[in-house]
Amino acid sequence: MSRKLSHKNPTNLKTFYYGAPYYPEHWDAATREKDPERMAEAGFNVVRMAEFAWDLMEPREGEFDFSLFDETIARLGEKGIATILCTPTATPPRWLTRAHPDVLRVNADGVTMQHGSRQHACPSSPVFRAYSRAITRAMAEHFADNPHVVGWQTDNELNCHFSECHCENCQVAFREFLREKYHDDIAALNAGWGTAFWALTYSSFDEIQTPKNGKPAYANPAHLLDYARFISWNITRFQHEQVEILRAANSQWFITHNGTFRHIDYRGEFTQDLDFLGYDVYPFFDSDPTHRPFSQAFNLDHARAWSGNFMIPEQQSGPGGQGNYFHDNPEPEEIRRMAYTSIAHGADSLLFFRWRTCRFGAEEYWCGILDHDNIPRRRYEEIKQLGQELKLLGPEVLGTHVRVDVGVAAADMDVYDAHETLSLGLPSPWQIAALVHGFFYKRGYAVGCVHPADDLSGLKAYIIPHWALFNPEWVPNLTRFVENGGTLIVGARTATKDWNNNVIAETPPGVLASLVGARVAEYGRQNAPDKRPLAINFPKAKVPTVHWYEQLDVLPGGAVMARWEGRLHLERKPAVMMKKTGAGAALYVGTYFTEEILEQLLPALQERNGLAPLWPSAPEGIHVVVRENHEKRLWFFINDSDGFVSFENIPEGEDLAKPRITGKFYLMRNEVAVVKQLRVPTDSNG
Ligand code: GAL
């Protein structure tokens, strides 16, 4: 498969699907009676079903019963509601785990997982994989000609609860992965892992085990990273078997999966196997209502960085409660606003989790659209209102991508996992990307997350937070970006580790040194910045630093933009460098990004690249996002403030959500306006 994954890709959907995951297996026929009609009234055109119903569909080995789903799909179909089915492999039935206990996962303490919740079976198990293929094939063949089944979701949230398994099957599969990766050459593995350290040398692949960090001491970071890669490879292979079966049964179906979780490379084969990625949205895991709009926006932009626009198979529709937590109840119109936020940031379809709150099981307080008593209340009314609005807006967003002027490097599994193997107590690339994203989002810029191997054209600025692990293959793309006029900003510690997760032999930033015109002469951690404060002296301000300092040397073409201050041995030593190449420039910042530091870099972006907020006159509290293609531009104005906001000077065009009144938008708390503008061919932006 060679489909190019890019943040700019729309999905291939021709319909904006709107609906909910639906669990007919939880309810009696009388309670289900009105469901299709109520869903149709809410504007639904899809439901997702069956991801946890293996026990019902195959009550005994090899005996299949799809009657409940046949009937439900038909009743929904009569009301114009299509179905997305799921392979039910997140919850293998008891007859399977009882007959084959070796399918159960084992954690790092050697404890075997029990039947009794979900995700208890291991994708390394040949037995589990055979049963998974069998149920997938039985479902695929049974539903192949059902006109109401439009697509599939593989499994459910792979790696959500459990990914690092140490069962016997994983030992075998891990060795298989390593043999393939190192071409059966154990000397190559020893060299790649640096096994000379602590006498770790292996004489055969059969000796290798899955790593258990901290048991007893720190594990080898190269071993740990290869293990994370193995987990991704293994789950990709597991999913691929299902995808092959589904595609063979009906090539018209779309296939998706709802991510995103640890140890899966969603920029790799995992997603290339799918039509598009799914991304589940639960904003209330951020308990701070004032920060929630930022975390939701970042998470969505981050999800889009893997492969482009996505479907949302699950978006929060009520408070979630499980174990020892219970979210705040979304206030009136909050669910609707958060759905608009998802659409603005790249959703090409959206389903609310879930239709009706279940009365039993581990998620009996995970609230859906309808309450336990099956009475539609304000959540239903709100979702119905959005259903009406989406009749107009839904088709308009398809085929558009989200505009990005400032890209933040994100969405690389290897980089994230490498950080976890040896973090030095420093913030993760993910955390800093969120900080950088929030800085620009708050100020109204079109900020997004973009992988360094992706299409960088159209971006004015590109920021790489602190990516210690770095692939030299990305350098030509970054160089081209700079030559074409872009401004690249590279943060400290970037490109200090090779792809094996070992430290590079060259002086940092290694493969990036000549592009940024700087070299790191000395570096250090700042564990007590209040006791020995350091600061960078920018032309307009002196900014204290945290976490890390780097004293830089100037390479040919490099110019010093700011210098260190605070400790005698660093006094006036270069801290921030810039080098011009072609029409653009690359900056190197010898510390960790903070809002204060970004504030000092912003003028360079404004002057060099004409970087400006999307809609400069938008008032505070209104977040602006643009989706566009060569024909049109859709402006989203989202009232994320806690109060009423009105503003004039708004784009000309057709109002797709809230109509303007005498040229002004009056947006109550949680309200959203969307303006559609047609683009003229000379319009060059985006
Ligand atoms: C998702 C999951 C659903 C449900 C929901 C609420 O992560 O896919 O099955 O568990 O969370 O907890």
Side-chain angles (χ1 to χ4, degrees), residues 23 52 118 156-157 258 280 282 314 322 353 363 366:
Y23 302 93
F52 303 124
R118 63 177 174 183
N156 185 75
E157 294 192 340
N258 54 343
D280 289 347
Y282 287 99
E314 302 177 16
Q322 222 172 358
F353 185 83
E363 297 195 340
W366 199 284

Side-chain angles (χ1 to χ4, degrees), residues 21 23 48 51-52 118-119 153 156-158 160-161 258-259 261 280-282 285 313-314 320-322 325 327 353-354 362-363 366-367:
Y23 302 93
R48 189 198 68 181
E51 75 272 29
F52 303 124
R118 63 177 174 183
Q119 286 194 359
Q153 172 186 298
N156 185 75
E157 294 192 340
L158 290 162
C160 158
H161 302 290
N258 54 343
F261 297 92
D280 289 347
V281 177
Y282 287 99
F285 277 108
E314 302 177 16
Q322 222 172 358
Y325 68 86
H327 294 158
F353 185 83
R354 51 189 159 165
E363 297 195 340
W366 199 284
C367 301

